[in-house]
């Protein structure tokens, strides 16, 4: 269920093991290939895409970054991933490009992937013969008999609510701010991402290509795009990214604007009968640590291994342990994302005391090697095994 990174990569990993699956997606191919989301891939995510033959374009068009900058109190400090983690790095390559590569691989292999399905319901999940009922793109009612159902249909999908409420526990925190995301036609303003703490709010400078840059600004979660005319956007970005080093942001034509709400969320367990949840269907992180897409990849790697052990060796233990195995990494990423978010954003109830605490934390992260290693290890991604 779902042709996001979780569903498409799971289907890809299973196909390579000779395990058949059908991917059902409510949106069109054009829509999923054009939706702007994450941009940072952990080393482990890059490795999986390369090892399974879908990393060729990423290696050509993506950008390897060996660190990030933290900017606060007008000064910029580099966190050197390569040096602090023993050679690990990240790849800046947009999520919708990963989607395009996975969709192409699936269609080239002639494997089933249905777009534009509607009225999806899950049946008999607690039995050995679960079913998915849906309407295909032509409007015909269909029923799919499954061994297992992978709920990879995102936070607003139907999989998680299909688990009876008494069988699941949900943990959640909604943040009193969102991110205003921009796509700008301009040359890169920086060689590595800049995460900026400022009393007017957080700002982030990322990139997409030599001609297109990705920028984010902390905003009110209820803000609408029309409240952010170009002049206001540039004024805020210049103010929040101000520094004493002579660096300036290069302005350009704004191609796209959008608001992202921010929450932390986990459901436990990530399984009910023959339904296994993966990715945003099971958990959400605020985007500050760039973990959402990478966690989805980590989940489906564990799930693909468990399903392979089941079909190849008749071993059920890995499937039984799926939720516990996945949740251990999920909670680590939840903590990291919450910590990065708390350290870098302005909160409504901010007091001068809280502001000073944030600056003390940033000062520590950029002066203590132990603390910098903690950030670097989490950002590049903990080993998958
Ligand atoms: P999704 O990518 O959400 O894919 C789920 C798919 O299931 C969708 O294509 C959906 O159409 C489909 N679907 C829904 N319901 C059904 C159904 N009933 N049947 C079949 N299919 C269904 N993370 C970052 O790290 N950095 C970011 O900057 C960032 N920005 C984001 C911006 C937005 C607006 C959002 C929503 C998320 C953002 N994320 C970001 C998070 C990251 O993109 C997600 O963690 C990642 O997409 C998770 O992948 P997924 O496959 O689990 O879910
Ligand atoms: C991007 C998104 C993030 O959430 C992040 O932490 C860094 C970069 C991006 O879209 O480029």
């Amino acid at each position: 269920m779902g042709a996001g990174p979780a569903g498409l990569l799971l289907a890809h990993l299973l196909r390579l093991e000779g395990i058949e699956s059908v991917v059902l997606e409510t949106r069109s191919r054009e829509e999923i290939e054009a939706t702007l989301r994450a941009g940072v891939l952990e080393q482990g995510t890059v490795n999986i895409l390369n090892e399974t033959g879908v990393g060729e374009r990423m290696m050509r068009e993506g950008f390897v970054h060996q660190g990030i900058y933290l900017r606060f109190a007008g000064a910029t400090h580099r966190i050197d991933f390569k040096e602090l983690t023993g050679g690990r790095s990240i790849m800046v390559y947009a999520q919708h490009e990963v989607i395009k590569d996975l969709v192409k691989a699936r269609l080239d292999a002639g494997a089933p992937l249905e777009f534009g399905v509607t009225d999806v319901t899950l049946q008999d999940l607690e039995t050995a013969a679960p079913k998915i009922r849906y309407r295909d793109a032509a409007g015909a009612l269909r029923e799919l008999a499954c061994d297992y159902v992978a709920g990879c249909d995102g936070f607003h999908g139907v999989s998680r609510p299909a688990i009876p409420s008494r069988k699941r526990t949900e943990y959640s925190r909604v943040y009193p701010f969102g991110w205003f995301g921009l796509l700008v036609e301009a040359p890169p303003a920086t060689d590595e991402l800049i995460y900026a703490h400022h009393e007017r709010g957080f700002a982030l400078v990322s990139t997409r290509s030599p001609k297109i840059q990705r920028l984010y600004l902390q905003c009110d979660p209820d803000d609408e795009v029309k409240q952010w005319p170009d002049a206001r956007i540039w004024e805020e970005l210049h103010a929040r990214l101000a520094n004493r080093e002579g660096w300036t942001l290069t302005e350009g034509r704004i191609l796209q604007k959008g608001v992202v709400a921010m929450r932390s969320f986990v459901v436990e367990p990530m399984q009910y009968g023959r339904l296994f949840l993966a990715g945003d269907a099971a958990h959400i992180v605020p985007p500050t640590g760039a973990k959402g897409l990478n966690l989805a990849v980590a989940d489906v790697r564990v799930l693909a291994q468990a399903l392979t052990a089941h079909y190849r060796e008749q071993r059920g233990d890995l499937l039984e342990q799926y939720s516990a195995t996945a949740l251990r990494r999920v909670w680590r990423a939840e903590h990291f994302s919450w910590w990065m978010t708390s350290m870098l954003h302005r909160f409504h109830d901010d007091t001068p005391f809280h502001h000073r605490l944030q600056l003390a934390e940033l000062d520590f992260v950029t002066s203590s090697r132990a603390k910098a290693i903690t950030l670097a290890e989490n950002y590049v991604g903990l080993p998958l095994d």
Side-chain angles (χ1 to χ4, degrees):
M1 314 265 306
L8 287 169
L9 183 62
L10 177 63
H12 179 63
L13 297 175
L14 293 177
R15 186 174 63 76
L16 296 179
E17 295 291 345
I19 301 167
E20 284 178 30
S21 63
V22 176
V23 180
L24 300 178
E25 166 62 49
T26 46
R27 295 187 296 160
S28 67
R29 178 177 183 183
E30 293 68 35
E31 220 181 318
I32 64 165
E33 291 187 346
T35 306
L36 282 190
R37 287 194 176 179
V40 173
L41 308 183
E42 292 176 359
Q43 178 95 57
T45 301
V46 170
N47 293 348
I48 291 187
L49 297 175
N50 278 329
E51 285 158 14
T52 62
V54 283
E56 192 256 334
R57 201 166 62 93
M58 168 186 73
M59 296 311 287
R60 241 185 316 120
E61 297 178 14
F63 300 91
V64 175
H65 286 193
Q66 289 170 342
I68 54 165
Y69 296 108
L70 293 178
R71 182 172 293 173
F72 58 97
T76 311
H77 307 258
R78 184 162 186 262
I79 303 289
D80 185 336
F81 295 157
K82 195 172 177 207
E83 193 266 324
L84 292 165
T85 65
R88 292 167 78 84
S89 56
I90 53 152
M91 174 76 79
V92 181
Y93 185 64
Q95 175 167 333
H96 67 278
E97 303 295 347
V98 176
I99 296 284
K100 284 184 203 167
D101 296 339
L102 288 168
V103 167
K104 180 172 186 310
R106 185 146 187 98
L107 296 179
D108 285 353
L113 165 51
E114 291 193 40
F115 295 104
V117 306
T118 50
D119 298 341
V120 186
T121 58
L122 306 183
Q123 320 281 332
D124 305 330
L125 294 170
E126 60 293 341
T127 74
K131 296 172 198 68
I132 304 174
R133 296 211 180 107
Y134 64 100
R135 239 175 242 287
D136 65 19
L141 276 177
R142 305 281 292 270
E143 184 174 279
L144 194 64
C146 317
D147 288 349
Y148 293 96
V149 178
C152 304
D153 51 351
F155 186 66
H156 301 287
V158 297
S159 303
R160 190 178 64 256
I163 304 177
S165 52
R166 65 180 189 289
K167 298 280 187 189
R168 60 181 144 98
T169 307
E170 297 185 345
Y171 302 86
S172 158
R173 159 179 288 227
V174 175
Y175 296 87
F177 41 75
W179 276 14
F180 195 92
L182 302 169
L183 212 54
V184 176
E185 192 178 23
T190 170
D191 56 339
E192 289 172 344
L193 272 54
I194 304 172
Y195 286 78
H197 171 274
H198 194 276
E199 50 199 3
R200 292 170 77 138
F202 170 75
L204 169 61
V205 183
S206 181
T207 185
R208 282 295 178 269
S209 76
K211 290 189 179 141
I212 307 284
Q213 311 314 317
R214 182 79 169 140
L215 302 164
Y216 297 96
L217 271 171
Q218 176 181 349
C219 65
D220 192 280
D222 301 319
D223 273 358
E224 290 178 36
V225 165
K226 62 175 190 273
Q227 290 167 262
W228 284 88
D230 293 8
R232 182 181 174 202
I233 290 171
W234 292 118
E235 186 189 328
E236 274 310 309
L237 281 169
H238 286 303
R240 296 182 193 190
L241 290 161
N243 63 99
R244 293 190 296 273
E245 296 131 3
W247 179 93
T248 50
L249 179 64
T250 319
E251 290 189 15
R253 191 159 64 93
I254 298 178
L255 306 173
Q256 203 171 328
K257 304 177 183 177
V259 176
V260 186
M262 289 178 53
R263 72 170 78 228
S264 298
F265 175 90
V266 180
V267 69
E268 290 189 357
M270 289 167 56
Q271 181 204 352
Y272 171 67
R274 294 261 176 149
L275 169 68
F276 291 86
L277 301 181
D280 280 15
H283 42 73
I284 297 286
V285 287
T288 325
K291 289 287 150 232
L293 161 64
N294 294 293
L295 263 189
V297 167
D299 285 352
V300 299
R301 185 162 183 271
V302 174
L303 186 53
Q305 279 173 347
L307 287 166
T308 303
H310 165 77
Y311 285 107
R312 282 263 166 91
E313 304 161 42
Q314 288 74 48
R315 274 178 60 187
D317 56 329
L318 295 186
L319 274 176
E320 272 164 38
Q321 291 157 21
Y322 166 71
S323 176
T325 306
L327 281 167
R328 186 163 175 237
R329 187 185 188 86
V330 166
W331 278 112
R332 172 89 297 282
E334 288 286 342
H335 184 276
F336 177 66
S337 306
W338 162 84
W339 174 71
M340 287 283 280
T341 302
S342 306
M343 179 169 70
L344 288 163
H345 289 75
R346 188 189 156 80
F347 285 73
H348 285 329
D349 55 355
D350 250 5
T351 56
F353 176 75
H354 184 245
H355 188 76
R356 289 292 183 161
L357 288 182
Q358 288 181 322
L359 290 174
E361 184 76 338
L362 283 160
D363 181 33
F364 193 39
V365 169
T366 51
S367 56
S368 153
R369 185 175 164 81
K371 194 77 176 173
I373 289 176
T374 302
L375 190 157
E377 277 191 342
N378 279 278
Y379 198 101
V380 300
L382 298 169
L384 280 165
D385 290 315

